[in-house]
Amino acid sequence: MSNYEVTEIGASDQWREHFGGFVPARSRDGRRVVDHELAMQYIGMTSNALIPGEEAGYWHTHSKAEELYVFLEGFGQIGLDDDVVDVGPGSVIRVGQGVWRTWRARPDSPGELRWLCIRAAGEELPRLPDDATRDLERPMPW
């Protein structure tokens, strides 16, 4: 067996059809917890979609994990402690441990706010990866 897995989460315009969450009682439309479907050990990822005017409805913080929000479509805002940051396509926000966060799709967004949330916890990564090996002689498969 190979040490990789493949899944399909669909195009971002299909993400609103997903229903999920970390706990069944708090699952919602527009969320898919991809790391519950794959054997991910050190990182986690959700795909998310909110309709204009929809919000998370809660704040949360992490004591171990940091999160990376990668916004792909739509316009929204993310609350970070006492700050509100506008987000849109191309916005990438790292949120460290102990920072309170919440988010919403702006009511005037022309479409759904769609983003990936990538979570990681554990050892600090080196600035330059020190575990990579290159093979310049191996032929490309295409």
Side-chain angles (χ1 to χ4, degrees), residues 87-139:
V87 296
S91 298
V92 178
I93 299 177
R94 177 207 159 264
V95 184
Q97 300 87 346
V99 175
W100 287 94
R101 68 213 71 181
T102 191
W103 51 89
R104 75 173 188 144
R106 287 183 23 184
D108 60 348
S109 180
E112 295 175 355
L113 178 65
R114 298 180 185 141
W115 75 96
L116 296 173
C117 177
I118 302 163
R119 302 176 319 284
E123 294 182 14
E124 185 175 336
L125 294 174
R127 193 80 173 152
L128 285 173
D130 59 3
D131 66 338
T133 303
R134 287 189 180 193
D135 183 351
L136 301 175
E137 303 303 318
R138 186 175 179 155

Side-chain angles (χ1 to χ4, degrees), residues 3 5 35 38-44 119-122:
N3 193 16
E5 297 172 87
D35 50 290
L38 300 173
M40 298 168 84
Q41 301 175 55
Y42 305 106
I43 59 173
R119 302 176 319 284

Side-chain angles (χ1 to χ4, degrees), residues 25-40:
R26 295 193 308 255
S27 292
R28 65 167 175 81
D29 290 333
R31 173 178 280 161
R32 184 168 178 177
V33 183
V34 178
D35 50 290
H36 287 184
E37 301 170 27
L38 300 173
M40 298 168 84

Side-chain angles (χ1 to χ4, degrees), residues 23-68:
V23 177
R26 295 193 308 255
S27 292
R28 65 167 175 81
D29 290 333
R31 173 178 280 161
R32 184 168 178 177
V33 183
V34 178
D35 50 290
H36 287 184
E37 301 170 27
L38 300 173
M40 298 168 84
Q41 301 175 55
Y42 305 106
I43 59 173
M45 187 182 84
T46 60
S47 59
N48 302 272
L50 295 178
I51 59 175
E54 189 177 14
E55 60 183 54
Y58 62 90
W59 287 85
H60 80 282
T61 187
H62 292 285
S63 62
K64 295 180 182 176
E66 66 179 338
E67 293 179 323
L68 185 69

